[in-house]
Every structure is written in C-alpha cells, then in structure tokens.
Amino acid sequence: MLSKYEAWLQAAKQNESITYHEGYLAKDRFYNNTTRDIANLFMRCAENKKVVLFQKRLKHETTNQDHVFQYVAKKI
C-alpha cells in the first residue's frame, strides 16, 4: 500500500493532490501501522517541502463517533 503513495510522489506534477486518509488520523494511526506509515511518509515530505498537507472536515464528532476528515497532500 505504501508503494502506491511513493509512486504518486514520484509521478505527480505540481499542484496535483491525493487523499491519503479519510477518518480521524490522530486516532487511526495508533491502531493501524499502515495508516501510521503513510501519514509519516507524507509528514516527512511536508517537512522537506515536497508537499503541502491539509485536511477537510467531512463529518462532525457525535457522542458515538469521532470527527471524520479527508487528509490531502498537494505536490509543490
């Protein structure tokens, strides 16, 4: 799964974007190592100024469910 995102990073043109997670990343990465690795990959790329990261709220938190966000990386 990680190679899909690595391939995107190599092939993407400037201003192209990819959704790398939907859910609540702060919690999801704790329970899923693949999710954690993908998030770490994009965080390193952001630190190296290869991408800009942003999120869009899709659903507000309720009593029984966490917030749901769309996590997006945009190539710079």
Side-chain angles (χ1 to χ4, degrees), residues 8-9 14 16-17 19 26 29-33 40 47 49 51-52 56-57 66 74:
W8 179 85
L9 286 163
Q14 185 177 7
E16 287 184 351
S17 60
T19 298
R29 68 183 292 137
F30 183 75
Y31 295 106
N32 185 308
N33 289 341
N40 288 346
E47 290 169 350
K49 302 193 184 335
V51 298
V52 173
K56 177 182 177 185
R57 186 189 314 264
D66 293 323
K74 183 176 179 181

Side-chain angles (χ1 to χ4, degrees), residues 15-74:
N15 292 322
E16 287 184 351
S17 60
I18 188 170
T19 298
Y20 63 93
H21 186 69
E22 275 193 20
Y24 189 44
L25 187 58
K27 185 176 182 181
D28 297 345
R29 68 183 292 137
F30 183 75
Y31 295 106
N32 185 308
N33 289 341
T34 301
T35 299
R36 181 203 62 211
D37 293 345
I38 293 167
N40 288 346
L41 170 68
F42 281 104
M43 183 60 75
R44 284 190 307 274
C45 289
E47 290 169 350
N48 292 320
K49 302 193 184 335
K50 295 179 180 180
V51 298
V52 173
L53 302 179
F54 59 96
Q55 62 192 36
K56 177 182 177 185
R57 186 189 314 264
L58 301 177
K59 198 163 148 186
H60 288 276
E61 181 177 20
T62 64
T63 305
N64 298 327
Q65 292 186 333
D66 293 323
H67 295 286
V68 176
F69 293 94
Q70 178 183 41
Y71 296 87
V72 179
K74 183 176 179 181

